[in-house]
Amino acid sequence: MSKVWLLLCLAAMPAAAQRFEFWPGAQYDPAIPTIEKILGFAPGDKHATHAGIGRYFEALAAAAPARIRLFEYGQTWEGRRLFYAAISSEANLRRLDEIKAGMKKLSDPRQTPPAAAKPLIDSLPAVISLAYGVHGNEISSPDAAMLTAYHLLAARNDKMTAGILADVVVLIDPLQNPDGRDRFVFNFEQNRGLEPDPSPAAAERAEPWPGGRSNHYLFDMNRDWFAMTQPETRGRVKYMLDWRPLIAVDLHEMGTDSTYFFSPGAAPYNPHLTPEQKEQMDWFGKNNAKWFDKFGWPYFTREVFDEFYPGYGASWPWYYGGMGMTYENASVRGLVVRKSDDSLYTFQESVGKHLCIIW
């Protein structure tokens, strides 16, 4: 099983007059439909609805059935379907059931002694989970989920992408909170004018109660992972226990004037985390920092977002033996916003910062 790590935010930051390039220099297979072709707008030009996100993933599955498969895992209180995509090479997709069964065996040393575990480790690809949009008004990550899936399926002559597909099964849950997401999008569309208003006080950015963060019954589902009071959470827990991903990434947003946060998280750490898990957290953080430094983008770690509470989407996976990570991006809460330093920050930029490629 190959080592894997995250390279986040390989998006270009061009001047406003240039066409935004999310992955500099990438060449794409025209047989894989773009977001613009299916939804009628380029990534970051609008906020995709739950229905639009579902339609785009269905188009990807129709275009590349040998490399992507969709799985429904439940419904929200308002009847919107919950699904995730499995993306990998054709060879891996043909043996998905075998891979899933092997990961479950590896997760329980009481049933799988070291002698039986070694051939599984040698033969199985890694399984990674990317989860987006558990807070419905943290808007950039679901659009980045579509872009990530597109890049994995459409990038041509790219050794990194080919290696990902050969060595990893990527599970993409593009929208964990469809009810809250659509609540936010519909409010924004009702209140926006002919042109996006960058004022932080603009009507398009003022969400009426209860806002889009929570689900239908106003639960913050990023606190529900061990209580499991909501159908959305119960469905996710079931498929996570079926797959036992080695790494589970949960993508969020924070204040507009923030930079970018990734692990390690803040103290206190849960006492049940092992020294090996803490070491992994540092290793991933250093690798992320290397790439952020390369592109000259500011970031921080450890200051907030604790590693104590076991009910977060990025902490619950630690307790079956996986590794959970939170990624927090500055939010636009619209299409463009003026930051306190008077600079403009666009939705395109925020989507680009959440483009996740694993290697």
Side-chain angles (χ1 to χ4, degrees), residues 92-128:
N92 288 335
L93 261 287
R94 283 195 296 267
R95 61 186 191 114
L96 270 189
D97 290 340
E98 175 194 338
I99 293 168
K100 185 189 299 184
M103 293 300 294
K104 291 183 78 170
K105 289 178 182 177
L106 278 177
S107 71
D108 191 347
R110 296 168 299 180
Q111 299 181 24
T112 309
K118 188 178 186 308
L120 291 172
I121 294 171
D122 292 341
S123 64
L124 292 174
V127 176
I128 306 298

PDB file of all heavy atoms in Angstrom, residues 92-128:
ATOM      1  N   ASN A  92      -8.625  -0.977 -10.312  1.00  0.00           N
ATOM      2  CA  ASN A  92      -9.110  -0.876  -8.932  1.00  0.00           C
ATOM      3  C   ASN A  92     -10.633  -0.867  -8.866  1.00  0.00           C
ATOM      4  O   ASN A  92     -11.227  -1.468  -7.966  1.00  0.00           O
ATOM      5  CB  ASN A  92      -8.548   0.380  -8.270  1.00  0.00           C
ATOM      6  CG  ASN A  92      -7.070   0.274  -7.955  1.00  0.00           C
ATOM      7  OD1 ASN A  92      -6.533  -0.819  -7.796  1.00  0.00           O
ATOM      8  ND2 ASN A  92      -6.396   1.414  -7.861  1.00  0.00           N
ATOM      9  N   LEU A  93     -11.265  -0.156  -9.803  1.00  0.00           N
ATOM     10  CA  LEU A  93     -12.737  -0.112  -9.792  1.00  0.00           C
ATOM     11  C   LEU A  93     -13.335  -1.493 -10.002  1.00  0.00           C
ATOM     12  O   LEU A  93     -14.403  -1.801  -9.451  1.00  0.00           O
ATOM     13  CB  LEU A  93     -13.242   0.857 -10.863  1.00  0.00           C
ATOM     14  CG  LEU A  93     -13.639   2.268 -10.411  1.00  0.00           C
ATOM     15  CD1 LEU A  93     -14.943   2.254  -9.658  1.00  0.00           C
ATOM     16  CD2 LEU A  93     -12.535   2.920  -9.580  1.00  0.00           C
ATOM     17  N   ARG A  94     -12.674  -2.346 -10.774  1.00  0.00           N
ATOM     18  CA  ARG A  94     -13.205  -3.695 -11.011  1.00  0.00           C
ATOM     19  C   ARG A  94     -13.206  -4.532  -9.740  1.00  0.00           C
ATOM     20  O   ARG A  94     -13.984  -5.480  -9.641  1.00  0.00           O
ATOM     21  CB  ARG A  94     -12.385  -4.401 -12.095  1.00  0.00           C
ATOM     22  CG  ARG A  94     -12.710  -3.948 -13.512  1.00  0.00           C
ATOM     23  CD  ARG A  94     -12.162  -4.918 -14.549  1.00  0.00           C
ATOM     24  NE  ARG A  94     -10.706  -4.978 -14.525  1.00  0.00           N
ATOM     25  CZ  ARG A  94      -9.914  -4.232 -15.293  1.00  0.00           C
ATOM     26  NH1 ARG A  94     -10.456  -3.349 -16.128  1.00  0.00           N
ATOM     27  NH2 ARG A  94      -8.603  -4.359 -15.224  1.00  0.00           N
ATOM     28  N   ARG A  95     -12.358  -4.200  -8.774  1.00  0.00           N
ATOM     29  CA  ARG A  95     -12.312  -5.009  -7.554  1.00  0.00           C
ATOM     30  C   ARG A  95     -12.633  -4.181  -6.298  1.00  0.00           C
ATOM     31  O   ARG A  95     -12.078  -4.396  -5.227  1.00  0.00           O
ATOM     32  CB  ARG A  95     -10.952  -5.677  -7.416  1.00  0.00           C
ATOM     33  CG  ARG A  95      -9.748  -4.753  -7.309  1.00  0.00           C
ATOM     34  CD  ARG A  95      -8.445  -5.541  -7.331  1.00  0.00           C
ATOM     35  NE  ARG A  95      -7.295  -4.738  -6.985  1.00  0.00           N
ATOM     36  CZ  ARG A  95      -6.548  -4.904  -5.892  1.00  0.00           C
ATOM     37  NH1 ARG A  95      -6.837  -5.865  -5.032  1.00  0.00           N
ATOM     38  NH2 ARG A  95      -5.502  -4.123  -5.669  1.00  0.00           N
ATOM     39  N   LEU A  96     -13.578  -3.259  -6.450  1.00  0.00           N
ATOM     40  CA  LEU A  96     -13.941  -2.413  -5.321  1.00  0.00           C
ATOM     41  C   LEU A  96     -14.405  -3.212  -4.113  1.00  0.00           C
ATOM     42  O   LEU A  96     -14.045  -2.914  -2.976  1.00  0.00           O
ATOM     43  CB  LEU A  96     -15.032  -1.422  -5.736  1.00  0.00           C
ATOM     44  CG  LEU A  96     -14.597  -0.069  -6.302  1.00  0.00           C
ATOM     45  CD1 LEU A  96     -15.810   0.838  -6.434  1.00  0.00           C
ATOM     46  CD2 LEU A  96     -13.527   0.588  -5.451  1.00  0.00           C
ATOM     47  N   ASP A  97     -15.227  -4.230  -4.334  1.00  0.00           N
ATOM     48  CA  ASP A  97     -15.728  -5.021  -3.209  1.00  0.00           C
ATOM     49  C   ASP A  97     -14.575  -5.727  -2.493  1.00  0.00           C
ATOM     50  O   ASP A  97     -14.554  -5.806  -1.254  1.00  0.00           O
ATOM     51  CB  ASP A  97     -16.755  -6.050  -3.682  1.00  0.00           C
ATOM     52  CG  ASP A  97     -18.058  -5.409  -4.131  1.00  0.00           C
ATOM     53  OD1 ASP A  97     -18.308  -4.253  -3.735  1.00  0.00           O
ATOM     54  OD2 ASP A  97     -18.809  -6.055  -4.887  1.00  0.00           O
ATOM     55  N   GLU A  98     -13.624  -6.220  -3.253  1.00  0.00           N
ATOM     56  CA  GLU A  98     -12.456  -6.869  -2.657  1.00  0.00           C
ATOM     57  C   GLU A  98     -11.633  -5.869  -1.844  1.00  0.00           C
ATOM     58  O   GLU A  98     -11.161  -6.180  -0.737  1.00  0.00           O
ATOM     59  CB  GLU A  98     -11.594  -7.474  -3.768  1.00  0.00           C
ATOM     60  CG  GLU A  98     -10.283  -8.066  -3.287  1.00  0.00           C
ATOM     61  CD  GLU A  98      -9.328  -8.350  -4.441  1.00  0.00           C
ATOM     62  OE1 GLU A  98      -9.788  -8.492  -5.590  1.00  0.00           O
ATOM     63  OE2 GLU A  98      -8.109  -8.422  -4.185  1.00  0.00           O
ATOM     64  N   ILE A  99     -11.465  -4.656  -2.364  1.00  0.00           N
ATOM     65  CA  ILE A  99     -10.698  -3.627  -1.659  1.00  0.00           C
ATOM     66  C   ILE A  99     -11.399  -3.238  -0.367  1.00  0.00           C
ATOM     67  O   ILE A  99     -10.776  -3.128   0.693  1.00  0.00           O
ATOM     68  CB  ILE A  99     -10.497  -2.401  -2.569  1.00  0.00           C
ATOM     69  CG1 ILE A  99      -9.597  -2.769  -3.749  1.00  0.00           C
ATOM     70  CG2 ILE A  99      -9.909  -1.226  -1.792  1.00  0.00           C
ATOM     71  CD1 ILE A  99      -9.567  -1.723  -4.853  1.00  0.00           C
ATOM     72  N   LYS A 100     -12.702  -3.049  -0.448  1.00  0.00           N
ATOM     73  CA  LYS A 100     -13.468  -2.684   0.746  1.00  0.00           C
ATOM     74  C   LYS A 100     -13.355  -3.771   1.813  1.00  0.00           C
ATOM     75  O   LYS A 100     -13.120  -3.482   2.993  1.00  0.00           O
ATOM     76  CB  LYS A 100     -14.931  -2.460   0.369  1.00  0.00           C
ATOM     77  CG  LYS A 100     -15.793  -1.950   1.505  1.00  0.00           C
ATOM     78  CD  LYS A 100     -17.267  -1.956   1.137  1.00  0.00           C
ATOM     79  CE  LYS A 100     -17.584  -1.083  -0.027  1.00  0.00           C
ATOM     80  NZ  LYS A 100     -19.048  -1.033  -0.297  1.00  0.00           N
ATOM     81  N   ALA A 101     -13.503  -5.026   1.411  1.00  0.00           N
ATOM     82  CA  ALA A 101     -13.398  -6.128   2.369  1.00  0.00           C
ATOM     83  C   ALA A 101     -11.996  -6.206   2.966  1.00  0.00           C
ATOM     84  O   ALA A 101     -11.826  -6.468   4.172  1.00  0.00           O
ATOM     85  CB  ALA A 101     -13.762  -7.444   1.687  1.00  0.00           C
ATOM     86  N   GLY A 102     -10.976  -5.960   2.139  1.00  0.00           N
ATOM     87  CA  GLY A 102      -9.608  -5.992   2.638  1.00  0.00           C
ATOM     88  C   GLY A 102      -9.326  -4.897   3.637  1.00  0.00           C
ATOM     89  O   GLY A 102      -8.626  -5.124   4.643  1.00  0.00           O
ATOM     90  N   MET A 103      -9.859  -3.703   3.404  1.00  0.00           N
ATOM     91  CA  MET A 103      -9.662  -2.614   4.354  1.00  0.00           C
ATOM     92  C   MET A 103     -10.318  -2.921   5.700  1.00  0.00           C
ATOM     93  O   MET A 103      -9.767  -2.602   6.759  1.00  0.00           O
ATOM     94  CB  MET A 103     -10.224  -1.317   3.771  1.00  0.00           C
ATOM     95  CG  MET A 103      -9.483  -0.784   2.552  1.00  0.00           C
ATOM     96  SD  MET A 103      -7.732  -0.417   2.866  1.00  0.00           S
ATOM     97  CE  MET A 103      -7.872   0.951   4.014  1.00  0.00           C
ATOM     98  N   LYS A 104     -11.481  -3.541   5.670  1.00  0.00           N
ATOM     99  CA  LYS A 104     -12.137  -3.907   6.933  1.00  0.00           C
ATOM    100  C   LYS A 104     -11.320  -4.947   7.688  1.00  0.00           C
ATOM    101  O   LYS A 104     -11.212  -4.902   8.916  1.00  0.00           O
ATOM    102  CB  LYS A 104     -13.556  -4.409   6.655  1.00  0.00           C
ATOM    103  CG  LYS A 104     -14.504  -3.322   6.171  1.00  0.00           C
ATOM    104  CD  LYS A 104     -15.906  -3.831   5.971  1.00  0.00           C
ATOM    105  CE  LYS A 104     -16.636  -3.975   7.293  1.00  0.00           C
ATOM    106  NZ  LYS A 104     -18.079  -4.239   7.113  1.00  0.00           N
ATOM    107  N   LYS A 105     -10.740  -5.892   6.969  1.00  0.00           N
ATOM    108  CA  LYS A 105      -9.896  -6.889   7.634  1.00  0.00           C
ATOM    109  C   LYS A 105      -8.675  -6.239   8.275  1.00  0.00           C
ATOM    110  O   LYS A 105      -8.298  -6.559   9.404  1.00  0.00           O
ATOM    111  CB  LYS A 105      -9.460  -7.955   6.631  1.00  0.00           C
ATOM    112  CG  LYS A 105     -10.565  -8.897   6.169  1.00  0.00           C
ATOM    113  CD  LYS A 105     -10.033  -9.888   5.138  1.00  0.00           C
ATOM    114  CE  LYS A 105     -11.140 -10.809   4.642  1.00  0.00           C
ATOM    115  NZ  LYS A 105     -10.643 -11.736   3.583  1.00  0.00           N
ATOM    116  N   LEU A 106      -8.054  -5.314   7.555  1.00  0.00           N
ATOM    117  CA  LEU A 106      -6.871  -4.647   8.082  1.00  0.00           C
ATOM    118  C   LEU A 106      -7.182  -3.826   9.331  1.00  0.00           C
ATOM    119  O   LEU A 106      -6.307  -3.612  10.170  1.00  0.00           O
ATOM    120  CB  LEU A 106      -6.273  -3.728   7.022  1.00  0.00           C
ATOM    121  CG  LEU A 106      -5.359  -4.353   5.976  1.00  0.00           C
ATOM    122  CD1 LEU A 106      -4.917  -3.298   4.980  1.00  0.00           C
ATOM    123  CD2 LEU A 106      -4.143  -4.990   6.643  1.00  0.00           C
ATOM    124  N   SER A 107      -8.410  -3.361   9.449  1.00  0.00           N
ATOM    125  CA  SER A 107      -8.749  -2.465  10.554  1.00  0.00           C
ATOM    126  C   SER A 107      -8.910  -3.187  11.883  1.00  0.00           C
ATOM    127  O   SER A 107      -8.985  -2.535  12.923  1.00  0.00           O
ATOM    128  CB  SER A 107     -10.048  -1.716  10.236  1.00  0.00           C
ATOM    129  OG  SER A 107     -11.169  -2.590  10.291  1.00  0.00           O
ATOM    130  N   ASP A 108      -8.957  -4.514  11.877  1.00  0.00           N
ATOM    131  CA  ASP A 108      -9.202  -5.252  13.115  1.00  0.00           C
ATOM    132  C   ASP A 108      -8.110  -6.293  13.337  1.00  0.00           C
ATOM    133  O   ASP A 108      -8.176  -7.411  12.815  1.00  0.00           O
ATOM    134  CB  ASP A 108     -10.568  -5.937  13.054  1.00  0.00           C
ATOM    135  CG  ASP A 108     -10.990  -6.499  14.409  1.00  0.00           C
ATOM    136  OD1 ASP A 108     -10.133  -6.568  15.316  1.00  0.00           O
ATOM    137  OD2 ASP A 108     -12.164  -6.860  14.556  1.00  0.00           O
ATOM    138  N   PRO A 109      -7.075  -5.958  14.124  1.00  0.00           N
ATOM    139  CA  PRO A 109      -5.975  -6.911  14.352  1.00  0.00           C
ATOM    140  C   PRO A 109      -6.403  -8.146  15.142  1.00  0.00           C
ATOM    141  O   PRO A 109      -5.689  -9.141  15.150  1.00  0.00           O
ATOM    142  CB  PRO A 109      -4.950  -6.082  15.134  1.00  0.00           C
ATOM    143  CG  PRO A 109      -5.740  -4.990  15.768  1.00  0.00           C
ATOM    144  CD  PRO A 109      -6.862  -4.686  14.825  1.00  0.00           C
ATOM    145  N   ARG A 110      -7.578  -8.097  15.764  1.00  0.00           N
ATOM    146  CA  ARG A 110      -8.056  -9.290  16.479  1.00  0.00           C
ATOM    147  C   ARG A 110      -8.426 -10.395  15.502  1.00  0.00           C
ATOM    148  O   ARG A 110      -8.347 -11.581  15.831  1.00  0.00           O
ATOM    149  CB  ARG A 110      -9.279  -8.929  17.340  1.00  0.00           C
ATOM    150  CG  ARG A 110      -8.980  -7.922  18.448  1.00  0.00           C
ATOM    151  CD  ARG A 110     -10.261  -7.391  19.057  1.00  0.00           C
ATOM    152  NE  ARG A 110     -11.081  -6.706  18.051  1.00  0.00           N
ATOM    153  CZ  ARG A 110     -12.258  -6.141  18.326  1.00  0.00           C
ATOM    154  NH1 ARG A 110     -12.740  -6.170  19.558  1.00  0.00           N
ATOM    155  NH2 ARG A 110     -12.937  -5.537  17.371  1.00  0.00           N
ATOM    156  N   GLN A 111      -8.826 -10.006  14.288  1.00  0.00           N
ATOM    157  CA  GLN A 111      -9.212 -10.986  13.277  1.00  0.00           C
ATOM    158  C   GLN A 111      -8.134 -11.190  12.207  1.00  0.00           C
ATOM    159  O   GLN A 111      -8.144 -12.210  11.516  1.00  0.00           O
ATOM    160  CB  GLN A 111     -10.506 -10.540  12.588  1.00  0.00           C
ATOM    161  CG  GLN A 111     -11.698 -10.415  13.530  1.00  0.00           C
ATOM    162  CD  GLN A 111     -12.953 -10.001  12.796  1.00  0.00           C
ATOM    163  OE1 GLN A 111     -13.086 -10.209  11.595  1.00  0.00           O
ATOM    164  NE2 GLN A 111     -13.893  -9.395  13.507  1.00  0.00           N
ATOM    165  N   THR A 112      -7.231 -10.232  12.078  1.00  0.00           N
ATOM    166  CA  THR A 112      -6.219 -10.282  11.020  1.00  0.00           C
ATOM    167  C   THR A 112      -4.839 -10.126  11.643  1.00  0.00           C
ATOM    168  O   THR A 112      -4.368  -9.007  11.859  1.00  0.00           O
ATOM    169  CB  THR A 112      -6.464  -9.172   9.985  1.00  0.00           C
ATOM    170  OG1 THR A 112      -7.830  -9.220   9.560  1.00  0.00           O
ATOM    171  CG2 THR A 112      -5.555  -9.338   8.782  1.00  0.00           C
ATOM    172  N   PRO A 113      -4.168 -11.230  11.963  1.00  0.00           N
ATOM    173  CA  PRO A 113      -2.824 -11.152  12.544  1.00  0.00           C
ATOM    174  C   PRO A 113      -1.817 -10.608  11.530  1.00  0.00           C
ATOM    175  O   PRO A 113      -2.107 -10.544  10.323  1.00  0.00           O
ATOM    176  CB  PRO A 113      -2.520 -12.598  12.912  1.00  0.00           C
ATOM    177  CG  PRO A 113      -3.375 -13.414  12.009  1.00  0.00           C
ATOM    178  CD  PRO A 113      -4.619 -12.608  11.780  1.00  0.00           C
ATOM    179  N   PRO A 114      -0.628 -10.208  11.974  1.00  0.00           N
ATOM    180  CA  PRO A 114       0.356  -9.620  11.055  1.00  0.00           C
ATOM    181  C   PRO A 114       0.652 -10.468   9.824  1.00  0.00           C
ATOM    182  O   PRO A 114       0.832  -9.933   8.729  1.00  0.00           O
ATOM    183  CB  PRO A 114       1.598  -9.465  11.947  1.00  0.00           C
ATOM    184  CG  PRO A 114       1.039  -9.283  13.322  1.00  0.00           C
ATOM    185  CD  PRO A 114      -0.178 -10.153  13.381  1.00  0.00           C
ATOM    186  N   ALA A 115       0.715 -11.767   9.975  1.00  0.00           N
ATOM    187  CA  ALA A 115       1.021 -12.620   8.821  1.00  0.00           C
ATOM    188  C   ALA A 115      -0.057 -12.523   7.752  1.00  0.00           C
ATOM    189  O   ALA A 115       0.228 -12.592   6.549  1.00  0.00           O
ATOM    190  CB  ALA A 115       1.183 -14.067   9.275  1.00  0.00           C
ATOM    191  N   ALA A 116      -1.316 -12.376   8.170  1.00  0.00           N
ATOM    192  CA  ALA A 116      -2.413 -12.239   7.208  1.00  0.00           C
ATOM    193  C   ALA A 116      -2.540 -10.810   6.699  1.00  0.00           C
ATOM    194  O   ALA A 116      -3.055 -10.573   5.594  1.00  0.00           O
ATOM    195  CB  ALA A 116      -3.724 -12.677   7.853  1.00  0.00           C
ATOM    196  N   ALA A 117      -2.066  -9.849   7.497  1.00  0.00           N
ATOM    197  CA  ALA A 117      -2.191  -8.444   7.096  1.00  0.00           C
ATOM    198  C   ALA A 117      -1.189  -8.074   6.006  1.00  0.00           C
ATOM    199  O   ALA A 117      -1.492  -7.242   5.140  1.00  0.00           O
ATOM    200  CB  ALA A 117      -1.992  -7.541   8.307  1.00  0.00           C
ATOM    201  N   LYS A 118      -0.011  -8.680   6.030  1.00  0.00           N
ATOM    202  CA  LYS A 118       1.040  -8.265   5.097  1.00  0.00           C
ATOM    203  C   LYS A 118       0.631  -8.392   3.633  1.00  0.00           C
ATOM    204  O   LYS A 118       0.824  -7.445   2.846  1.00  0.00           O
ATOM    205  CB  LYS A 118       2.329  -9.036   5.354  1.00  0.00           C
ATOM    206  CG  LYS A 118       3.509  -8.510   4.531  1.00  0.00           C
ATOM    207  CD  LYS A 118       4.788  -9.240   4.819  1.00  0.00           C
ATOM    208  CE  LYS A 118       5.954  -8.594   4.081  1.00  0.00           C
ATOM    209  NZ  LYS A 118       5.726  -8.405   2.652  1.00  0.00           N
ATOM    210  N   PRO A 119       0.065  -9.522   3.191  1.00  0.00           N
ATOM    211  CA  PRO A 119      -0.340  -9.586   1.769  1.00  0.00           C
ATOM    212  C   PRO A 119      -1.433  -8.585   1.419  1.00  0.00           C
ATOM    213  O   PRO A 119      -1.492  -8.113   0.272  1.00  0.00           O
ATOM    214  CB  PRO A 119      -0.811 -11.027   1.594  1.00  0.00           C
ATOM    215  CG  PRO A 119      -1.038 -11.556   2.956  1.00  0.00           C
ATOM    216  CD  PRO A 119      -0.117 -10.822   3.866  1.00  0.00           C
ATOM    217  N   LEU A 120      -2.291  -8.241   2.383  1.00  0.00           N
ATOM    218  CA  LEU A 120      -3.309  -7.225   2.124  1.00  0.00           C
ATOM    219  C   LEU A 120      -2.647  -5.862   1.933  1.00  0.00           C
ATOM    220  O   LEU A 120      -2.993  -5.112   1.008  1.00  0.00           O
ATOM    221  CB  LEU A 120      -4.307  -7.165   3.287  1.00  0.00           C
ATOM    222  CG  LEU A 120      -5.240  -8.368   3.449  1.00  0.00           C
ATOM    223  CD1 LEU A 120      -6.033  -8.247   4.743  1.00  0.00           C
ATOM    224  CD2 LEU A 120      -6.194  -8.470   2.253  1.00  0.00           C
ATOM    225  N   ILE A 121      -1.699  -5.540   2.793  1.00  0.00           N
ATOM    226  CA  ILE A 121      -0.996  -4.262   2.686  1.00  0.00           C
ATOM    227  C   ILE A 121      -0.260  -4.163   1.355  1.00  0.00           C
ATOM    228  O   ILE A 121      -0.238  -3.119   0.697  1.00  0.00           O
ATOM    229  CB  ILE A 121      -0.024  -4.094   3.865  1.00  0.00           C
ATOM    230  CG1 ILE A 121      -0.808  -3.975   5.181  1.00  0.00           C
ATOM    231  CG2 ILE A 121       0.881  -2.877   3.666  1.00  0.00           C
ATOM    232  CD1 ILE A 121       0.057  -4.033   6.408  1.00  0.00           C
ATOM    233  N   ASP A 122       0.325  -5.273   0.933  1.00  0.00           N
ATOM    234  CA  ASP A 122       1.090  -5.279  -0.318  1.00  0.00           C
ATOM    235  C   ASP A 122       0.209  -5.166  -1.559  1.00  0.00           C
ATOM    236  O   ASP A 122       0.654  -4.652  -2.593  1.00  0.00           O
ATOM    237  CB  ASP A 122       1.924  -6.559  -0.410  1.00  0.00           C
ATOM    238  CG  ASP A 122       3.054  -6.604   0.616  1.00  0.00           C
ATOM    239  OD1 ASP A 122       3.417  -5.528   1.138  1.00  0.00           O
ATOM    240  OD2 ASP A 122       3.550  -7.712   0.902  1.00  0.00           O
ATOM    241  N   SER A 123      -1.028  -5.624  -1.465  1.00  0.00           N
ATOM    242  CA  SER A 123      -1.857  -5.726  -2.668  1.00  0.00           C
ATOM    243  C   SER A 123      -2.950  -4.670  -2.778  1.00  0.00           C
ATOM    244  O   SER A 123      -3.468  -4.432  -3.876  1.00  0.00           O
ATOM    245  CB  SER A 123      -2.516  -7.112  -2.731  1.00  0.00           C
ATOM    246  OG  SER A 123      -3.411  -7.283  -1.642  1.00  0.00           O
ATOM    247  N   LEU A 124      -3.323  -4.037  -1.667  1.00  0.00           N
ATOM    248  CA  LEU A 124      -4.438  -3.105  -1.697  1.00  0.00           C
ATOM    249  C   LEU A 124      -3.984  -1.676  -2.004  1.00  0.00           C
ATOM    250  O   LEU A 124      -2.934  -1.238  -1.516  1.00  0.00           O
ATOM    251  CB  LEU A 124      -5.168  -3.085  -0.348  1.00  0.00           C
ATOM    252  CG  LEU A 124      -5.935  -4.336   0.048  1.00  0.00           C
ATOM    253  CD1 LEU A 124      -6.464  -4.190   1.468  1.00  0.00           C
ATOM    254  CD2 LEU A 124      -7.082  -4.604  -0.923  1.00  0.00           C
ATOM    255  N   PRO A 125      -4.769  -0.927  -2.785  1.00  0.00           N
ATOM    256  CA  PRO A 125      -4.526   0.513  -2.876  1.00  0.00           C
ATOM    257  C   PRO A 125      -4.956   1.179  -1.570  1.00  0.00           C
ATOM    258  O   PRO A 125      -5.715   0.603  -0.783  1.00  0.00           O
ATOM    259  CB  PRO A 125      -5.423   0.953  -4.032  1.00  0.00           C
ATOM    260  CG  PRO A 125      -6.548  -0.031  -4.011  1.00  0.00           C
ATOM    261  CD  PRO A 125      -5.951  -1.348  -3.571  1.00  0.00           C
ATOM    262  N   ALA A 126      -4.447   2.362  -1.331  1.00  0.00           N
ATOM    263  CA  ALA A 126      -4.910   3.139  -0.180  1.00  0.00           C
ATOM    264  C   ALA A 126      -6.322   3.647  -0.449  1.00  0.00           C
ATOM    265  O   ALA A 126      -6.703   3.877  -1.602  1.00  0.00           O
ATOM    266  CB  ALA A 126      -3.967   4.301   0.082  1.00  0.00           C
ATOM    267  N   VAL A 127      -7.109   3.835   0.609  1.00  0.00           N
ATOM    268  CA  VAL A 127      -8.439   4.426   0.491  1.00  0.00           C
ATOM    269  C   VAL A 127      -8.431   5.750   1.251  1.00  0.00           C
ATOM    270  O   VAL A 127      -8.043   5.799   2.429  1.00  0.00           O
ATOM    271  CB  VAL A 127      -9.530   3.496   1.059  1.00  0.00           C
ATOM    272  CG1 VAL A 127     -10.891   4.182   1.001  1.00  0.00           C
ATOM    273  CG2 VAL A 127      -9.565   2.189   0.281  1.00  0.00           C
ATOM    274  N   ILE A 128      -8.817   6.812   0.563  1.00  0.00           N
ATOM    275  CA  ILE A 128      -8.824   8.161   1.108  1.00  0.00           C
ATOM    276  C   ILE A 128     -10.226   8.737   0.967  1.00  0.00           C
ATOM    277  O   ILE A 128     -10.886   8.542  -0.052  1.00  0.00           O
ATOM    278  CB  ILE A 128      -7.843   9.072   0.355  1.00  0.00           C
ATOM    279  CG1 ILE A 128      -6.440   8.458   0.312  1.00  0.00           C
ATOM    280  CG2 ILE A 128      -7.807  10.459   0.983  1.00  0.00           C
ATOM    281  CD1 ILE A 128      -5.809   8.248   1.641  1.00  0.00           C
TER     282      ILE A 128
END
